[in-house]
Amino acid sequence: MGAQQQRGLTLIYTGDGKGKTTAALGLAIRATGQGKRVLMIQFIKSPDRMSGEKKMFQQIGIEMHQTGIGFTWTKTPEEHREALRQAWEFTKEKVFSGVYDVVILDELNNALAITGFPVEDVLPLAEVMRLIQTRPASMHLVITGRSAKDEIVEIADLVTEMKPIKHYYDEGVPAVKGIEF
């Protein structure tokens, strides 16, 4: 099987430790350096906040869309549900467009794990599973976020769990510009 005909992989970065999105960002840069067409869709982060990764991706030409509206406690459940519904429709359209070699679904695991309000009707796990299984054959799919669903872990090719050993948050150090955002 030649390099251009390899099957696409599903990679999961999950766990309670820091570094899930950071790992995906590094992968995006590496893939872009190899001539791959990369798309990153962020499910929770809002386009209202300019992150370091968004600034850098704009400079180097990696397509990124922030489809969220922020943390779940910042808006009403209905606002979050509508944002998730739109994000999922957008994701399906982009994944099946045939344009991308690598698609990163950042914080999709977090979105699927929301328990404060219903999400199954706007972001159905069965549809997520179907997308993973029926995406273009050579597309690599990267899914990040805490609390990866067992069903997704089961069908993934790689699952890396980030485990916290020590974190400066525990000592009251807030999020650091250039490290967390």
Side-chain angles (χ1 to χ4, degrees):
M1 184 180 281
Q4 295 304 317
Q5 292 129 354
Q6 287 182 341
R7 74 174 176 89
L9 302 172
T10 300
L11 297 86
I12 309 295
Y13 299 126
T14 192
D16 293 331
K18 181 175 171 21
K20 299 171 288 291
T21 295
T22 305
L25 295 170
L27 187 147
I29 291 168
R30 177 178 285 156
T32 299
Q34 292 293 343
K36 302 292 184 189
R37 297 163 298 175
V38 177
L39 167 67
M40 182 175 217
I41 300 173
Q42 295 185 309
F43 275 78
I44 304 295
K45 291 182 179 122
S46 166
D48 297 336
R49 296 189 65 194
M50 182 57 81
S51 64
E53 61 259 32
K54 186 173 181 180
K55 289 178 188 177
M56 192 64 217
F57 276 19
Q58 286 174 345
Q59 290 177 28
I60 62 176
I62 296 175
E63 186 178 346
M64 173 187 275
H65 297 275
Q66 295 171 315
T67 61
I69 56 174
F71 297 113
T72 55
W73 58 86
T74 63
K75 301 275 195 281
T76 68
E78 278 312 309
E79 289 172 304
H80 282 287
R81 286 170 42 74
E82 180 57 19
L84 288 172
R85 186 192 66 72
Q86 288 180 20
W88 182 239
E89 291 303 315
F90 179 77
T91 297
K92 292 186 290 187
E93 176 185 314
K94 290 292 194 175
V95 164
F96 293 108
S97 70
V99 172
Y100 307 99
D101 301 305
V102 178
V103 174
I104 300 166
L105 304 177
D106 187 42
E107 299 173 337
L108 175 61
N109 290 331
N110 301 50
L112 288 167
I114 291 171
T115 59
F117 50 84
V119 296
E120 177 63 24
D121 60 327
V122 295
L123 182 60
L125 179 58
E127 282 191 22
V128 173
M129 300 291 292
R130 192 165 33 259
L131 179 135
I132 292 168
Q133 295 169 323
T134 63
R135 71 186 187 274
S138 62
M139 176 186 285
H140 301 297
L141 194 59
V142 180
I143 303 171
T144 74
R146 297 171 187 257
S147 306
K149 296 283 188 186
D150 291 340
E151 296 90 338
I152 293 175
V153 167
E154 181 66 31
I155 63 172
D157 297 292
L158 175 136
V159 179
T160 297
E161 180 179 9
M162 309 305 194
K163 179 182 172 188
I165 305 297
K166 183 178 181 180
H167 199 301
Y168 42 86
Y169 282 0
D170 298 334
E171 296 177 17
V173 177
V176 178
K177 186 176 184 177
I179 303 295
E180 272 81 32
F181 61 95

